[in-house]
Amino acid sequence: MTKTILITGAGSGFAEAAAIGMAQAGHTIIATAQISPQVAALREKVARLGLDNLRVEKLDLTDPYDMAFIETFDIDVLWNNAGYGESGPVSEIPMDLVRKNYEINVFKPLELTQAFIRKWVAQGRKAKIVFTSSMGGLFTPAGWGTYVSTKHALESISEAIAQEVAPFGIKVQTINPRAYYTGYNETMADTAFRWLDAERNFTDPVELRATFDALLASPMGHMDAQEMIDRMIAIVPADTGKVRNVSPKAVEDMLKEAQAAAWDAEI
């Protein structure tokens, strides 16, 4: 059965490719992007592909007029994909950056989700919510704590919402990608060096940069994103499936081991 699917943060990366793939599969897609150049570029791509069932709209989650407009659409699936990441030591990161990361990754997606839940409950409509979490929603590597803590929050929020809306026929899933090569993690790694200063901070910027560079240069930091895109195309419109969707399987196994090990960790 085809669905009408609204996607946030579809101006690039996973969601852009998945939006196109789901439209090619016959679903009606409303793909949103934060800034006008992304909207224009995606509209041109959609026109070249001849996808009349893929509509592209601007959605800056911090713009109340954008939010009010997007909430007028009638949809079957809301895919909360938009987000960004701040890197650097949590013990030193400026608090305004922490608040901003939570505003975009947690508070605004929750606001949008609540709006659609109210509409669906009033309509008696069965629907679905998908959150793009991360492998980082299930463990915390040093240097990435602010970003992954927002994903930890999404894990908790999605679990709570799932229980609250199940009586109304509304389902909830998360998608938890690892560090696929999309440019997202590479640009996130740069964010700490806007404010990290060897003269003011006890974290050594040179050492942190070397740690990030080594991680991003490793094969596990350059995995082909197509694997995750193909899974998203299958997961998002589906009526059934796993609540939590980690990819690839090796990462799922690693996360389970890390979570089990946390019970035995000592200070």
Side-chain angles (χ1 to χ4, degrees):
M1 180 178 176
T2 60
K3 304 288 176 61
T4 299
I5 303 168
L6 173 65
I7 311 170
T8 68
S12 62
F14 290 132
E16 178 187 342
I20 291 169
M22 288 188 290
Q24 290 172 332
H27 299 286
T28 299
I29 305 298
I30 305 159
T32 70
Q34 179 188 12
I35 58 175
S36 297
Q38 289 179 320
V39 172
L42 185 51
R43 283 176 176 170
E44 289 177 3
K45 184 179 292 188
V46 168
R48 289 195 301 271
L49 292 170
L51 294 172
D52 295 336
N53 56 332
L54 201 169
R55 175 174 179 167
V56 184
E57 297 291 345
K58 178 180 173 293
L59 174 57
D60 177 345
L61 293 173
T62 65
D63 184 323
Y65 299 99
D66 281 3
M67 290 281 276
F69 173 66
I70 290 301
E71 289 166 12
T72 64
F73 286 93
D74 287 320
I75 61 172
D76 302 301
V77 181
L78 170 62
W79 179 10
N80 288 297
N81 174 76
Y84 91 104
E86 291 287 348
S87 67
V90 175
S91 49
E92 299 199 83
I93 188 170
M95 286 303 301
D96 61 327
L97 297 180
V98 178
R99 291 188 180 95
K100 180 181 177 183
N101 215 163
Y102 270 81
E103 186 71 14
I104 300 301
N105 288 15
V106 181
F107 302 143
K108 287 300 180 180
L110 178 56
E111 180 183 330
L112 188 63
T113 299
Q114 288 180 341
F116 277 106
I117 289 172
R118 286 193 295 270
K119 180 185 289 190
W120 292 331
V121 170
Q123 294 172 340
R125 185 172 188 162
K126 294 182 179 180
K128 181 177 169 183
I129 304 154
V130 181
F131 291 97
T132 298
S133 179
S134 166
M135 65 180 288
L138 304 171
F139 86 126
T140 306
W144 308 89
T146 297
Y147 167 70
V148 302
S149 72
T150 68
K151 298 304 185 178
H152 277 68
L154 285 182
E155 293 289 329
S156 178
I157 285 170
S158 65
E159 187 174 342
I161 291 175
Q163 297 171 72
E164 294 159 0
V165 300
F168 302 99
I170 300 171
K171 299 178 181 180
V172 182
Q173 285 180 297
T174 66
I175 298 177
N176 302 68
R178 68 142 293 114
Y180 287 95
Y181 188 52
T182 63
Y184 184 87
N185 295 295
E186 289 74 13
T187 55
M188 178 167 38
D190 292 336
T191 60
F193 304 99
R194 291 139 59 216
W195 56 267
L196 199 56
D197 186 331
E199 295 184 0
R200 294 197 311 268
N201 300 104
F202 57 78
T203 302
D204 186 335
V206 175
E207 290 183 5
L208 186 64
R209 175 63 82 179
T211 300
F212 285 172
D213 288 348
L215 175 64
L216 295 170
S218 72
M220 290 297 284
H222 279 72
M223 296 181 68
D224 185 357
Q226 191 60 50
E227 175 187 18
M228 190 72 251
I229 292 165
D230 290 341
R231 288 205 64 195
M232 288 172 164
I233 291 169
I235 290 166
V236 172
D239 291 322
T240 61
K242 295 176 67 175
V243 171
R244 177 179 288 158
N245 297 273
V246 180
S247 184
K249 180 63 167 59
V251 172
E252 180 177 343
D253 294 339
M254 181 273 285
L255 292 174
K256 289 177 180 178
E257 291 174 5
Q259 290 179 327
W263 287 96
D264 298 321
E266 298 182 5
I267 61 171

